[in-house]
Every structure is written in C-alpha cells, then in structure tokens.
Amino acid sequence: MTHTAELIAVGTELLLGNIVNSDAQMLSQGLSALGINVYYHTVVGDNPQRLRAAVETAKSRADIIITTGGLGPTCDDLTKNVLADCFGKKLIYNEEAARRIEEYFQRLDRPMTENNYQQAYLPEGCVPFQNDWGTAPGCGFEAEGVRVLMLPGPPSECTPMFHERAVPYLRDLTDGVIVSRSLRIFGMGESAVEALLRDKMNAMQNPTLAPYAKEGEVELRITAKAPDAQTALDLIAPVEKELREQFGPLVYGADVPSLEAVCFGLLKEKGLTLSSAESCTGGLIPKRITDMGGVSAVYKGGVVSYWSEVKHSALGVPQEMLDEYGAVSVPVAQAMAEGVRARMDTDLAVATTGVAGPGPDERGNPVGLVYVALSWDGGTFVRTVHAAGPRSRVRQLAANHAFDLVRRHLMGLPLELE
Amino acid sequence: MTHTAELIAVGTELLLGNIVNSDAQMLSQGLSALGINVYYHTVVGDNPQRLRAAVETAKSRADIIITTGGLGPTCDDLTKNVLADCFGKKLIYNEEAARRIEEYFQRLDRPMTENNYQQAYLPEGCVPFQNDWGTAPGCGFEAEGVRVLMLPGPPSECTPMFHERAVPYLRDLTDGVIVSRSLRIFGMGESAVEALLRDKMNAMQNPTLAPYAKEGEVELRITAKAPDAQTALDLIAPVEKELREQFGPLVYGADVPSLEAVCFGLLKEKGLTLSSAESCTGGLIPKRITDMGGVSAVYKGGVVSYWSEVKHSALGVPQEMLDEYGAVSVPVAQAMAEGVRARMDTDLAVATTGVAGPGPDERGNPVGLVYVALSWDGGTFVRTVHAAGPRSRVRQLAANHAFDLVRRHLMGLPLELE
C-alpha cells in the first residue's frame, strides 16, 4: 500500500521570509527514499486557528502528517496543543521526557526554567521522540487512521530527529526499501549528459536514473526499490557499471561529497603532499581543501598571488615571462605551479590564472578564460578552461578543474578532457 | 485596508526535495515590505487536481494569490490552464507576448520550437508580465475579488519578475510604504544584543526593531511604515542614531553587504593595499575578499601557511619562535602578519593562527582559540579570539575578526573589543 504524507511547517518567521523552509526539502527527500508520496507542503504562522485549518485539510487527504516547528516554550507549544486537540487527545506529563530535558540542560550547564518543563507534556498514548540535539522532544501518535509526527523546527534538530526517530517510527508503513547511489561526473555539461542518457532514462523503471546539475558538475542518481537493501544494490550495480563504462574518466566517484574530498582521500592513501598557487581563484582552492578537518596531513600551504609582482616575488615567475605573455597565459600558469611546488617542497602543486570577471583583463582576455596547471615530479600539465557564467561560477569551475587534475594524476587517468 | 496573500508553488521537484522553495522566502520578504500579510504557503506537484484544490482553498481566505512555477512547456503550462479555469477565464493568444518570446530566443541565438509559442497564450483580460530573464511570461488578473499573479519558478527569473513586474502591479493595493534599514554589528553575541534591546523593542510600534543572527554577527533591522519613503526614513533616523550611540564601534555599517565589503571601500578610498597570512582560516580570507569584483585595486595577495615549515619558509617566522611558542601563539600571529606585509610590500596585513577543529592541537590548545593579527606601518596588534561552534563557524568568525581589525584601524577606532 502506498502512503501519502503531508508536511505542515509552523512558524511566522517562514511567512515573513526570515528563513527558508529547508526542513520541507530534507523531509521530502527522506520520505521519497522511503517510498512515501508527498503531495502537499503547507506553511502556517504561529496561529492556532490557521494551524487547525491546515491540519483539518491534511487529515482529509493524507495518512501521515508531519509537523515541523512550534514546539518550544516561546510559542507556547502551539503545535502540540493544536494537534492533540484536532485528534481529541489530552496532553499528559511525561516523567521520562522531563528527565531527558533536565539532563540536556545539565550537559550544557545551563539553567532550566519552569517553562522548559512544559515541554514534557505530550499527547496521551504517543511515542515520545527523544531530542538529543535540542530541548523540545518530538512525538508520534496514531489516531483516526492517520500517523501524526511532530518534529522541532531548527534544521540542526529536525534533520537528526527525522532520521533517528521518525524513520524508525514509520518503518512498518514502508514495504521494501529505496536505495540510491550517486555517480559524480566532472568535465561534461548537464545538457550533454542528459542528451546522452535521455533514451536510457525514459526506458528505465526500476532502478530509475536522474541527472542533477551541481556547480559545474553533474550528479547521476540511480534509485532502486526492492524488498531489501541487497536486492536494491543488485539492481543498481549493472547500471552503475554501464555508466562508468560510458563516461569513463569523467566519473570521479560514487556517493562522495566532492572532488576535493576525493583528492584528499587519494593523497592520504599515497602519502603525498599538495600546495597551491592562485590568481583568479584567490584562496578558493585552499578554502575548499581546509573546509575538511584533518587535511593538514596532505596540504602544506599555498600562495594567493593576486598581483603580478607577487607572482614574481612569492612564486619566482620570471618578470620577462609576465611582461611577454601576461599573467593570464600558459607559461605563467606552469611557472606558478612549479614555483610553489619547489618553494613549499610538495609532491604535487596546482595553479590557476585567468579572468574571473566582471570584465576582460587589460590584455583583452575574455571573462571565463582560465589556465589551470598541475605540477608533479615528472612534469607540468596546463589545461585551458573556458568557463561560462558569473564571477562566482568561473571561480568554482576553475577550482574544480584544479582538483580534477590532481584526481586524474593520482588515478593514472589522462589529464586531457575528452 | 490590509490585504492577505497566499503563495502556491507548483513543482514536483519541490515535493521530491530536489530543490528548496526559496521563491516563497523571497516573496514573503517582498510582500511583508509592502505591508501585505502572508498567512499560508502551499506547495503542490505538477498535478491539475491538486493544484485546483489548493487554488480553491486559497480563494476562500486570501485576496491575493501568487503562484510560482508550472509555466513552461515542459509542464504543459499547467499553472496557467488551471488558474484560468478556476476563475472562468479563457486563454487567448497574445501577439505582443509571442513577439517578446521570439526576441528572447533571437537574443540568445537559440532555435525556438513550436511549444514555445504555447507560452504566448494568456488569460483573457490579464496584464502580461514580460519576462526579460527567461522565456515564460507571467501575468496578473483580477477576478471574483482576488488578484491572481503567476510568476515563473526558477529563482533567477522569479526574483526580478516579482520586483519589476508584480510589485508595480500590486502598488495600488498598498497604502503607504515600508522602509527598512539594517545596522550591522560585529563583536557582540546575539543574545547579549537582544538582552540589551529587549525592553526597547517591546515598547516600539513604528518603527519596529528586530535582531537577526548571522554567521558570527548580528543584524539590527529597523522597519518603518509611512505614507511615503521620506517620512519612513525620518522615523528610522532617530532610532539609528540611538543605536549607533549605544553600540559605538561595534556598528560596522548600515545597509552594507559584509565586513569585507566595508574594508574594500575604506582601503580604496584611502588608496591602501592589503595582504594576508593564514593558518586556520586556510584561504577563507582571500576567498571572501576576491569574491568581490575589482578588488585587485587593494588586495595584492596572501600566503596560506598550513604547515609550520611554510610559516618559516614563506613568511620568515623564526624557527626558534615556532619551537618555543608553537604555531598557535601571539608571537607567531604577529610574525606572520609582519612577514607577509614586508614580503608583499603592502600597507596593511592580517594574519590568523588557531585551532579550527575538530580536535585540539598537539600542544593542547582548545578548538576555537585563534590569534588574529593586524600589522601596519605603526605597529602590530594581536586579538585573542575564543570562538564557539563547529569548524566552519570558527573559521568564519576568525576571518570576521581579521576584517574587523582592518575596519577599526582604517576608521581610527580602538582595536580592542569592549
């Protein structure tokens, strides 16, 4: 039997546009993975009458209602009161929930006020959802043929509460499992990928295949539905194999967070070090690398040489080369990568020099032209990139190409695209 | 008279969680600024029955309905067909709209297909909203006492279409204007700011005052409603003056995008240059600076010295100093700033060294301890920062402190916090 869920977010801050309803996105993804349909999202403010109207409408067309927000003392536990009332339930003091809230405050060494105890009142007969990520507990109950689940609003609480509490509570409603695997592709545009796959995608039923465009790359999601996880994975495997053959070195990983994470893993595995020299990406490459904890095992440092004189003084790019070819040129990209590799004594080094925009450079090089170099003990390779789009996209794409060169080198793949 | 708007987003990709409903946030902010109440957001899929149900419900409780999405040929112009039908309108071929679509394709040098002409059919008697940012035109019409507005779904089209087309169309419904001004505060936590202002905020009616926490800083929004903009600004001015007196050097600007943007403006105005030397922020400072176009006028470059040996080799930090005090120390922060300033020959230089996490460093320095230095021709100042939170927050906060030192120095304010 297929189930239908309706999401109701409670919070005036959503209606004022102070925050975006990211809980709805997270819940929709999660419910879709469980094979549960979502036909409506609704957002209401901190208002009992309007929340009641939304709940009455949802009751008439869904058999699962999930609310987010409106659980804390600042809104007088609006959601709990209205939902309990809509389904004819009383709120009852839950000793266990009270104890958990006390513990939470003790752990944070913060004083607990009287209205925090109010959060321990829960609808009679419910399953309390212990909140290890905040103070307001959630809960689930069944009434009038509807499963009602209440989750806290802050995404940092709602996300773990959904996965750790709500999903187990809904498990008996889902027949079978839905398993996805994401192949990440760099080096081909979304429309080209889609054109190559359109017939295949249209012909597929289970698993399904869908492309998603990310910043300068494409994610191919293979999703299978089966009675158990192993059967789903067995359905996915041949499709993944076929796609890997079709796209070859463009596939940089499956279920991996990013190109830089793949580089980090490969560098660590091989015990190699990396440095960077940048012009147009201006710190974006080390920023993305050092976003990851523990990366000092492989990344030694870098130079942001935004001015030409810094390319000369800090990286040793010859002044005559800068004068003759200009800062945005193949020889300068090569000299930057080689310069930083020698000075920082690393196994590999990447470099970028190009025109991020908004306008062309003083030599007339167009916005989006970037030279991306990789230097290693056997040589230096420079890739010419023509990136389309605004400044932020040109920079992200240039950084992606730098990571792609590192990845391809470490995996023994050709450094040329195509 | 106060008007009530209801937002209906159309798109199965929202119900699957592939995208977040950012249009609703943007529209809510915009309508709130017009003094129009928003009581409900609804999201439905590409399904005529369910869209119809949502529209019928909205008709019963709102006098403005704004739809987003479902206008293009891929969804068979679902929204236009259903909305026209719900209000008993025919769709009529609009020559002008067809011509605009043709022009759009010519400008992009892309072929126009037959189904693009379908987009030129609009509800009879409507006001077409010309779309200069995409192909699907929007429109507005009035029927049964309700204003109905249809906007395209992609945020890059929806946002300008709202501001350039929908707002003028709604202008006659709004009596007076709402004007906001945002004071940006750095150096005091949100709860401390809120505690200082609570009584004042509660007592205020027009203008109102509301604090918003941002990454490591606080925005204070003063919002006034008045018959015209000048009267609104006159209401805001004394409140702004009072807040500036109360928070003194913590206020870094009004209606400015960021700390780094304020630094850029000040450096440019004074004709000064900046460089950076980073450990824990690892490229974040130059990344944030070079996110802004034209910044090469003031930013020469920087060094990311993630390893201690790079602090020595690329910045000239003495090895004995690193051995004695460790990389995370006041003397090293000072030497990094002075080193990069000398080597890159800039007027000012900033430096960061600290523990971003996830764990303490090998000398036992705790996560969140960061030394942030500013060097100028008259000396060097080091600020000790204790940042709470995960790695990303520690890094953002450390970068904020670096920019704050630059700003305070250039404005002749004390460099010490408090």
Side-chain angles (χ1 to χ4, degrees), chain A residues 290 296 300 302 304 307 309 391, chain B residues 290 296 300 302 304 309 391:
Chain A
T290 62
S296 61
K300 287 180 84 169
V304 178
W307 281 25
E309 74 174 62
R391 182 175 176 87
Chain B
T290 62
S296 61
K300 287 180 84 167
V304 178
E309 74 175 62
R391 183 177 176 85

Side-chain angles (χ1 to χ4, degrees), chain B residues 311-359:
Chain B
K311 292 181 180 69
H312 175 62
S313 66
L315 294 168
V317 179
Q319 191 56 52
E320 316 80 67
M321 186 188 278
L322 288 162
D323 294 339
E324 185 175 349
Y325 299 101
V328 179
S329 62
V330 171
V332 168
Q334 174 168 350
M336 287 170 68
E338 290 171 357
V340 80
R341 194 170 87 85
R343 289 174 179 228
M344 297 211 175
D345 188 24
T346 55
D347 299 297
L348 303 180
V350 289
T352 59
T353 180
V355 187

Side-chain angles (χ1 to χ4, degrees), chain A residues 119-323:
Chain A
Q119 302 185 344
Y121 284 87
L122 294 173
E124 53 184 333
C126 76
V127 176
F129 295 161
Q130 183 189 325
N131 185 347
D132 289 338
W133 306 271
T135 63
C139 67
F141 65 79
E142 190 161 2
E144 304 176 34
V146 179
R147 291 272 180 114
V148 178
L149 293 86
M150 298 182 223
L151 300 175
S156 59
E157 301 178 29
C158 189
T159 304
M161 288 285 278
F162 174 71
H163 291 290
E164 304 289 323
R165 307 285 184 258
V167 170
Y169 179 75
L170 293 171
R171 184 64 74 191
D172 62 303
L173 299 186
T174 60
D175 44 20
V177 296
I178 298 205
V179 177
S180 281
R181 199 161 155 82
S182 283
L183 285 195
R184 305 282 289 251
I185 290 182
F186 178 74
M188 186 184 282
E190 190 210 4
S191 52
V193 171
E194 205 170 348
L196 278 176
L197 295 177
R198 194 168 297 130
D199 293 345
K200 188 198 293 262
M201 290 191 298
N202 289 341
M204 287 171 72
Q205 295 282 342
N206 187 25
T208 58
L209 179 62
Y212 299 94
K214 304 236 162 193
E215 189 90 62
E217 53 172 281
V218 179
E219 187 181 327
L220 283 179
R221 197 178 301 160
I222 315 165
T223 306
K225 187 165 185 176
D228 59 83
Q230 191 51 56
T231 312
L233 288 170
D234 291 346
L235 286 166
I236 288 171
V239 178
E240 177 175 343
K241 184 159 177 286
E242 212 177 303
L243 290 169
R244 282 183 180 273
E245 277 162 16
Q246 183 168 7
F247 290 96
L250 297 177
V251 177
Y252 74 79
D255 289 343
V256 290
S258 63
L259 266 168
E260 56 268 33
V262 171
C263 293
F264 180 17
L266 288 166
L267 288 165
K268 206 167 164 184
E269 184 188 310
K270 294 174 191 284
L272 299 175
T273 55
L274 177 70
S275 59
S276 58
E278 301 170 275
S279 190
C280 62
T281 51
L284 181 58
I285 289 174
K287 188 266 175 193
R288 283 175 55 177
I289 293 175
T290 62
D291 276 342
M292 303 179 283
V295 84
S296 61
V298 303
Y299 182 70
K300 287 180 84 169
V303 170
V304 178
S305 54
Y306 220 54
W307 281 25
S308 283
E309 74 174 62
V310 177
K311 293 182 181 69
H312 175 61
S313 66
L315 295 168
V317 179
Q319 191 57 51
E320 316 79 68
M321 185 188 278
L322 288 162
D323 293 340

Side-chain angles (χ1 to χ4, degrees), chain B residues 92-102 117 120-122 128:
Chain B
I92 292 176
Y93 188 71
N94 186 305
E95 293 283 354
E96 173 69 9
R99 207 177 50 73
R100 296 282 185 183
I101 298 170
E102 279 169 0
Y117 281 100
Y121 283 87
L122 294 173

Side-chain angles (χ1 to χ4, degrees), chain B residues 35-251:
Chain B
I36 294 171
N37 292 321
V38 179
Y39 287 155
Y40 294 94
H41 300 169
T42 304
V43 178
V44 293
D46 298 334
N47 176 293
Q49 284 74 38
R50 288 193 280 271
L51 175 55
R52 173 181 292 275
V55 173
E56 295 297 339
T57 306
K59 268 171 81 168
S60 71
R61 58 192 186 190
D63 61 352
I64 301 170
I65 296 176
I66 303 183
T67 67
T68 51
L71 289 182
T74 50
C75 58
D76 299 321
D77 288 291
L78 170 70
T79 305
K80 239 163 44 188
N81 284 306
V82 171
L83 270 285
D85 201 46
C86 282
F87 287 90
K89 299 259 178 195
K90 284 198 175 64
L91 292 177
I92 292 176
Y93 188 71
N94 186 305
E95 293 283 354
E96 173 69 9
R99 207 177 50 73
R100 296 282 185 183
I101 298 170
E102 279 169 0
E103 277 175 13
Y104 180 86
F105 277 91
Q106 275 162 15
R107 212 164 57 234
L108 263 67
D109 199 22
R110 282 196 344 219
M112 184 165 165
T113 59
E114 206 40 56
N115 59 14
N116 291 123
Y117 281 100
Q118 191 60 37
Q119 303 184 346
Y121 283 87
L122 294 173
E124 53 184 333
C126 76
V127 176
F129 296 161
Q130 184 189 326
N131 185 348
D132 289 338
W133 307 271
T135 63
C139 67
F141 65 79
E142 191 161 2
E144 304 174 36
V146 181
R147 291 272 181 114
V148 178
L149 295 85
M150 299 181 223
L151 301 174
S156 60
E157 301 178 29
C158 189
T159 304
M161 287 286 277
F162 173 70
H163 291 289
E164 304 289 324
R165 307 286 183 259
V167 170
Y169 179 73
L170 293 172
R171 183 64 76 190
D172 61 303
L173 300 186
T174 61
D175 43 20
V177 296
I178 298 206
V179 177
S180 282
R181 196 160 158 84
S182 283
L183 284 195
R184 304 283 289 251
I185 289 183
F186 178 73
M188 186 183 282
E190 190 211 4
S191 51
V193 171
E194 206 170 347
L196 278 176
L197 294 177
R198 194 168 298 129
D199 293 344
K200 188 198 293 261
M201 288 192 299
N202 289 340
M204 287 171 69
Q205 296 282 342
N206 188 25
T208 59
L209 178 62
Y212 299 94
K214 304 236 163 193
E215 190 90 61
E217 53 172 280
V218 179
E219 186 181 328
L220 282 179
R221 197 178 302 159
I222 315 165
T223 306
K225 186 164 186 178
D228 58 83
Q230 191 51 55
T231 311
L233 288 171
D234 290 346
L235 287 166
I236 288 170
V239 178
E240 176 175 346
K241 184 158 176 286
E242 212 177 303
L243 291 168
R244 281 184 180 272
E245 278 161 16
Q246 183 168 7
F247 291 96
L250 299 176
V251 177

Side-chain angles (χ1 to χ4, degrees), chain A residues 14-22 24-26 28-30 32 38-45 49-51 53-54 57 61 212 221 273 276 278-307 309-310 313-314 343-345 357-358 391-392 395-396, chain B residues 14-22 24-26 28-30 32 38-45 49-51 53-54 57 61 212 221 273 276 278-307 309-310 313-314 343-345 357-358 391-392 395-396:
Chain A
L14 287 158
L15 296 181
L16 291 173
N18 295 336
I19 55 171
V20 69
N21 191 6
S22 57
Q25 181 179 26
M26 180 275 297
S28 293
Q29 287 174 344
S32 157
V38 179
Y39 287 154
Y40 293 95
H41 300 170
T42 305
V43 178
V44 293
Q49 285 73 40
R50 287 192 280 271
L51 175 54
T57 306
R61 59 193 185 188
Y212 299 94
R221 197 178 301 160
T273 55
S276 58
E278 301 170 275
S279 190
C280 62
T281 51
L284 181 58
I285 289 174
K287 188 266 175 193
R288 283 175 55 177
I289 293 175
T290 62
D291 276 342
M292 303 179 283
V295 84
S296 61
V298 303
Y299 182 70
K300 287 180 84 169
V303 170
V304 178
S305 54
Y306 220 54
W307 281 25
E309 74 174 62
V310 177
S313 66
R343 289 172 179 228
M344 297 212 175
D345 188 24
R391 182 175 176 87
S392 61
R395 282 157 50 90
Q396 284 292 354
Chain B
L14 287 159
L15 295 182
L16 291 172
N18 295 336
I19 54 171
V20 70
N21 191 6
S22 58
Q25 180 178 25
M26 179 274 299
S28 293
Q29 287 174 344
S32 159
V38 179
Y39 287 155
Y40 294 94
H41 300 169
T42 304
V43 178
V44 293
Q49 284 74 38
R50 288 193 280 271
L51 175 55
T57 306
R61 58 192 186 190
Y212 299 94
R221 197 178 302 159
T273 55
S276 58
E278 302 170 274
S279 190
C280 63
T281 50
L284 181 58
I285 289 174
K287 187 265 177 195
R288 283 174 55 177
I289 293 176
T290 62
D291 277 342
M292 303 179 283
V295 84
S296 61
V298 302
Y299 182 71
K300 287 180 84 167
V303 170
V304 178
S305 54
Y306 220 54
W307 282 26
E309 74 175 62
V310 177
S313 66
R343 289 174 179 228
M344 297 211 175
D345 188 24
R391 183 177 176 85
S392 61
R395 282 155 52 89
Q396 284 291 352

